[in-house]
Amino acid sequence: MLSKRAKYAIKTILFLQDHPELVPASAKLISERETIPYKFLENILRDLKTHQLVKSVRGAEGGYALAKDPSMISIAQVMRAMDGPIALIPCISERFYESCPECTDEETCRIRKLFAEVRSEMVPILERPITTLAKSK
Amino acid sequence: MLSKRAKYAIKTILFLQDHPELVPASAKLISERETIPYKFLENILRDLKTHQLVKSVRGAEGGYALAKDPSMISIAQVMRAMDGPIALIPCISERFYESCPECTDEETCRIRKLFAEVRSEMVPILERPITTLAKSK
DNA sequence: ATAAATCCTATAGAATAGGTATGAATTAAA
DNA sequence: TTTAATTCATACCTATTCTATAGGATTTAT
């Protein structure tokens, strides 16, 4: 399941996309508008910044903005930044690969094969740019 | 990510499917053959039994067997028994539905919409009977 | 200067993961 | 009828992760 951290991060990214007029948006503002605990959000924003998904302006009137064009940002990027692998098992993850200690033959592992199929269905959906998410409200 | 609990459970189910000649298979045997910690496996087997995926025979020469025809068992069933929802967010889960406390309108929630799409791709794959998993080794 | 911000480190409580310990109940076989 | 193998049940344990919160240092527009 998606962590709250990732969910809050996604909401933050979408908020920044939806409100270019409020940019740079302060953590306080985002926190209030999206009902995300303030200090927790600060933490998440730092992480998003490390992963170059947002950029920041310091000092009074400062805040956060998307670090790149929204058409270059996907939910998958946010999820990977917050929660790590999208794949349900590490032995098929592209960016977070890890072999199963007990596995004798990855090539023939049925479990791996099944979850590889799942992954290859999930990833393209999550990698769509956030601009393709129908805007609502 | 899939928990070890779920992974061990899947391996156990596949083991029982692959070795009808060893049925009823004792926890000890399964534990050795699949290198799953014995006491942890006992725990998992109890849970699988509660969810009617395996049945047990008590006493000496006892052990575990699949509770129904393998063609009626899916990886999704095992995952739900062990880890709960397959959906990445609870507001689109069929069996473990929970609304997001802060959500004002599920109908228009873009996040929900996206993850619903992900879920509807994942579930059919995971719900295939285990008999359809190409046997290997 | 002051206020409003980001930035940084540390801490804390709760839940979950991954197991372990102990022993009772059941049953086949010797 | 004893013994050994097994399931069944409960409780416990340790480490990690999750979800934050606290306190303060730093930066900057006004």
Side-chain angles (χ1 to χ4, degrees):
Chain A
M1 293 265 283
L2 202 67
S3 68
K4 289 212 173 191
R5 197 179 173 76
K7 195 175 172 193
Y8 291 159
I10 292 170
K11 292 200 160 196
T12 297
I13 295 290
L14 293 183
F15 180 86
L16 292 174
Q17 183 201 5
D18 292 347
H19 300 98
E21 78 279 10
L22 299 178
V23 156
S26 72
K28 182 158 173 280
L29 175 68
I30 300 169
S31 152
E32 282 164 358
R33 295 283 291 264
E34 295 291 333
T35 42
I36 301 171
Y38 175 68
K39 280 295 189 181
F40 196 23
L41 178 59
E42 267 194 337
N43 201 304
I44 290 165
L45 282 163
R46 188 146 51 91
D47 216 351
L48 285 173
K49 193 185 174 187
T50 304
H51 285 87
Q52 318 219 13
L53 290 166
V54 304
K55 60 190 173 190
S56 64
V57 179
R58 301 188 66 162
E61 302 294 294
Y64 297 87
L66 296 180
K68 36 189 169 182
D69 193 273
S71 67
M72 299 300 289
I73 299 180
S74 69
I75 298 296
Q77 287 172 40
V78 181
M79 287 174 67
R80 290 196 183 101
M82 297 296 118
D83 290 351
I86 286 170
L88 296 187
I89 41 173
C91 63
I92 50 157
S93 171
E94 283 286 327
R95 289 157 231 254
F96 300 87
Y97 173 85
E98 248 175 274
S99 65
C100 304
E102 83 283 12
C103 191
T104 54
D105 186 4
E106 269 190 6
E107 288 311 306
T108 61
C109 176
R110 282 172 290 175
I111 301 176
R112 182 166 184 270
K113 202 165 289 175
L114 186 71
F115 283 98
E117 202 176 331
V118 171
R119 179 185 166 282
S120 74
E121 292 292 335
M122 295 172 70
V123 166
I125 299 174
L126 295 171
E127 270 178 353
R128 301 206 280 250
I130 55 173
T131 49
T132 67
L133 305 185
K135 185 161 181 178
S136 47
K137 224 200 270 183
Chain B
M1 295 266 281
L2 202 68
S3 67
K4 289 212 171 189
R5 197 178 172 75
K7 194 175 172 193
Y8 291 158
I10 292 170
K11 292 200 159 195
T12 298
I13 294 290
L14 293 183
F15 180 85
L16 293 174
Q17 182 201 5
D18 292 346
H19 300 97
E21 77 279 11
L22 300 177
V23 156
S26 73
K28 182 158 173 279
L29 174 68
I30 300 169
S31 152
E32 283 164 359
R33 294 282 292 262
E34 296 291 334
T35 43
I36 302 170
Y38 175 68
K39 278 296 185 183
F40 195 24
L41 178 60
E42 265 195 336
N43 200 304
I44 291 165
L45 281 164
R46 189 145 46 90
D47 215 352
L48 285 173
K49 192 187 176 187
T50 304
H51 286 87
Q52 318 217 15
L53 290 165
V54 303
K55 60 190 173 190
S56 64
V57 179
R58 300 188 66 162
E61 302 292 293
Y64 298 88
L66 295 180
K68 36 189 168 182
D69 193 272
S71 67
M72 300 302 288
I73 300 181
S74 69
I75 299 295
Q77 287 171 41
V78 181
M79 288 174 65
R80 290 196 182 99
M82 296 297 117
D83 291 351
I86 286 170
L88 296 186
I89 42 174
C91 61
I92 50 156
S93 171
E94 284 286 328
R95 291 156 230 254
F96 300 86
Y97 174 85
E98 249 176 274
S99 66
C100 304
E102 82 285 10
C103 191
T104 54
D105 186 5
E106 270 190 5
E107 288 310 307
T108 62
C109 175
R110 282 172 290 176
I111 300 177
R112 183 166 183 271
K113 202 164 289 175
L114 185 71
F115 283 97
E117 203 177 332
V118 172
R119 177 184 166 284
S120 74
E121 293 291 336
M122 294 172 71
V123 167
I125 298 173
L126 295 171
E127 269 176 354
R128 300 207 281 250
I130 55 172
T131 48
T132 67
L133 305 185
K135 186 161 180 179
S136 46
K137 223 198 268 188

